[in-house]
Amino acid sequence: MTSRGDSVYVTTALTRRVGPPERSLVRRIDVRTGRLTSVLGSTSAGHTADGWPAGEASLGPSCGIALDQAGNILVSDSALNEHGQIFGYNRVRVLAAAGGVGYGRSMTAGYVYTIAGGLHSGYSGDDGRAVDALLRVPSGLAVDPYGNVAVADSYNNRIRVVAERSGTFFGQQPWQPARWTLARRRRQ
């Protein structure tokens, strides 16, 4: 859940009658009127590729959510973990609030794009292009005032960052739009 102004944004899981949820929606609650609207995701199968309108996009069953300064909605589109196997996407997606360039790619307002990760699960990609990185069940997200996205890469026990701009952040100098590890949890 995240909020801005008179709106609260939440992710909701669409469930099957038996088994884990299949996909999620991002919904907006207007705190003045109480009105609930879907802003991202499809109740049907939807499209998993980039460049589709928000209402036709498909999201996995578990989503972290954040808003950046430009009003873009970012979600962690996570995979299912059943019996030790990870199925589905392991990526961070953005619903563009306006057209232009952001997160290293050209975007159209109202359309959804992948900015980090992809189909395969794993760990790779530090100091490389964020869309080429491998994530393993991304969950929580946070965006700093400069547009850098912190991603909880859950099954890799790391906080990873998608750098929106080049410069020094947290004592490191990534190039934009790169992915790098900010912190990791040591196994005991």
Side-chain angles (χ1 to χ4, degrees):
M1 177 177 79
T2 189
S3 65
R4 175 162 296 148
D6 291 336
S7 298
V8 175
Y9 295 88
V10 296
T11 59
T12 58
L14 302 174
T15 58
R16 300 184 287 205
R17 291 183 186 258
V18 177
E22 293 179 323
R23 57 192 162 275
S24 295
L25 296 174
V26 174
R27 297 205 163 164
R28 176 185 174 270
I29 303 167
D30 184 314
V31 295
R32 290 176 291 142
T33 66
R35 185 172 178 197
L36 178 70
T37 55
S38 294
V39 295
L40 174 58
S42 172
T43 57
S44 62
H47 297 282
T48 59
D50 284 352
W52 285 91
E56 297 177 28
S58 178
L59 295 175
S62 174
C63 292
I65 185 169
L67 293 170
D68 68 13
Q69 294 291 334
N72 298 312
I73 299 173
L74 293 95
V75 294
S76 56
D77 188 4
S78 295
L80 290 172
N81 180 13
E82 294 180 356
H83 309 293
Q85 296 292 317
I86 296 176
F87 302 97
Y89 287 90
N90 290 278
R91 62 188 174 179
V92 177
R93 301 186 87 192
V94 61
L95 167 56
V101 176
Y103 300 105
R105 62 178 312 151
S106 179
M107 297 189 287
T108 301
Y111 284 67
V112 181
Y113 302 91
T114 299
I115 62 167
L119 173 61
H120 301 289
S121 172
Y123 177 77
S124 73
D126 280 357
D127 299 322
R129 290 176 3 121
V131 294
D132 295 333
L134 292 179
L135 303 172
R136 195 158 179 233
V137 188
S139 55
L141 299 173
V143 183
D144 73 12
Y146 305 103
N148 301 301
V149 182
V151 180
D153 191 358
S154 298
Y155 280 45
N156 285 321
N157 297 311
R158 285 168 164 60
I159 302 298
R160 298 179 78 190
V161 174
V162 178
E164 172 63 4
R165 295 181 176 88
S166 297
T168 301
F169 305 100
F170 310 108
Q172 298 185 39
Q173 292 184 325
W175 53 276
Q176 166 276 340
R179 166 166 296 292
W180 45 279
T181 298
L182 174 63
R184 67 184 175 102
R185 189 183 82 174
R186 296 198 185 274
R187 297 187 187 257
Q188 299 188 4

